[in-house]
Amino acid sequence: MEEVPPASAPDAAPSRRRPTGRARSLGLNVLSAVIGIGIWWAFAASGFQLPTPPQVLFRAGDLIADGTLQEDVVASLRRVFIGFAIGVVLAVPVGFLMGWYPVARGLIEPWVQFFRTIPPLALIPLTIVLMGIDETPKIFVIFLASFLACVIATFQGVVSVDRTLINAARVLGAGDFTIFRRVVVPASTPFILVGMRVGLGSSWATLVAAEIIGAQEGLGHRMQNAQLYFDLPTIFVGVISIGVLGLLMDRALLVAEQRLTIWQERR
């Protein structure tokens, strides 16, 4: 019987693999952060009235050591999360109603467009008069910022659904509820998630102004107090903390978007 030659062993030195897209993107992100810190340091060293990165780092260490930064982060996160969550929970069904039923669109859309032209910050005096200075007005203005962004995105997602898909489902005998659940909702999901990301950014952008309303803790409150004493390192700690927290929450939504829309063709 003829002996079968053994399979050739793999090369001892494996060929170098090209970095994956995720690794390349992470590397570019790190490089961008290093370049940004370098530019910041160069501006501070050249005479601009800016604290250097070590000064900000030492100030952050002091705030962490006495527990101030942790308390402010928890307070701001709680306000943003509650306001954002309420905004999304209400915006999605309202957006679906506007997109699916012409009567609902005619009744609701003018009000949505009306309030979109009014910055949530402009409503702060009104919320103070109507709601006092406790947590309610702070959460309300954050809710309004996230709601308006998400409801428009959801509405646009519904009206952008390909009519061919809906007509094909009707030909196959699907009712309105089945079409809505199996066609409209999946097709609108990418729009909803984009609206959530925009709404999250609006929530964080509104936070500092919202914490003007009688707040005793929070990143915005800490930055406003630091402004009175020209404490630039503390202001920078607050700005960087908001940016990092917002970035992490946005990345979490991006991961959810990739998993929920895995069927969608990407570049």
Side-chain angles (χ1 to χ4, degrees):
M1 181 176 181
E2 185 178 356
E3 184 178 356
V4 178
S8 58
D11 296 337
S15 60
R16 293 183 179 179
R17 296 181 178 177
R18 294 183 179 180
T20 62
R22 183 175 298 179
R24 186 184 302 111
S25 177
L26 180 60
L28 290 174
N29 292 159
V30 173
L31 177 62
S32 176
V34 171
I35 293 174
I37 293 174
I39 294 174
W40 166 20
W41 207 330
F43 272 105
S46 62
F48 284 87
Q49 192 177 1
L50 295 174
T52 62
Q55 290 175 326
V56 174
L57 187 61
F58 292 147
R59 182 57 180 154
D62 294 339
L63 293 173
I64 292 173
D66 61 17
T68 301
L69 186 58
Q70 295 92 312
E71 293 176 0
D72 290 338
V73 167
V74 170
S76 294
L77 274 176
R78 182 180 66 250
R79 291 167 184 146
V80 168
F81 180 79
I82 294 175
F84 173 71
I86 296 174
V88 171
V89 168
L90 293 180
V92 171
V94 171
F96 277 134
L97 285 173
M98 289 171 54
W100 192 247
Y101 297 107
V103 173
R105 183 187 312 176
L107 292 174
I108 300 173
E109 186 179 16
W111 290 104
V112 172
Q113 298 298 341
F114 172 79
F115 280 104
R116 280 187 66 210
T117 62
I118 304 174
L121 305 184
L123 297 176
I124 287 179
L126 180 62
T127 59
I128 293 176
V129 173
L130 296 179
M131 304 178 185
I133 57 173
D134 59 1
E135 290 295 296
T136 304
K138 303 177 186 63
I139 293 174
F140 176 78
V141 293
I142 295 172
F143 147 76
L144 190 61
S146 60
F147 172 83
L148 293 174
C150 193
V151 72
I152 291 297
T154 305
F155 164 71
Q156 191 61 42
V158 175
V159 298
S160 298
V161 176
D162 191 348
R163 297 297 304 182
T164 303
L165 298 177
I166 296 176
N167 293 334
R170 292 193 189 279
V171 169
L172 294 174
D176 283 348
F177 179 75
T178 303
I179 293 173
F180 186 80
R181 182 171 59 91
R182 301 295 297 273
V183 178
V184 176
V185 172
S188 304
T189 298
F191 291 85
I192 295 172
L193 292 169
V194 170
M196 289 175 64
R197 294 179 65 190
V198 174
L200 179 63
S202 300
S203 299
W204 280 107
T206 311
L207 171 70
V208 176
E211 290 182 336
I212 295 176
I213 311 173
Q216 299 300 320
E217 57 183 358
L219 294 170
H221 166 73
R222 193 67 51 195
M223 292 165 61
Q224 291 163 34
N225 280 353
Q227 175 192 359
L228 300 176
Y229 302 100
F230 297 95
D231 185 358
L232 287 177
T234 299
I235 294 175
F236 267 67
V237 170
V239 170
I240 293 172
S241 299
I242 290 175
V244 170
L245 292 171
L247 180 62
L248 292 176
M249 294 178 71
D250 180 78
R251 288 296 178 264
L253 285 177
L254 185 59
V255 171
E257 177 184 355
Q258 291 172 346
R259 294 190 176 183
L260 292 173
T261 60
I262 195 171
W263 49 268
Q264 192 177 28
E265 186 177 355
R266 303 180 186 277
R267 292 198 305 170

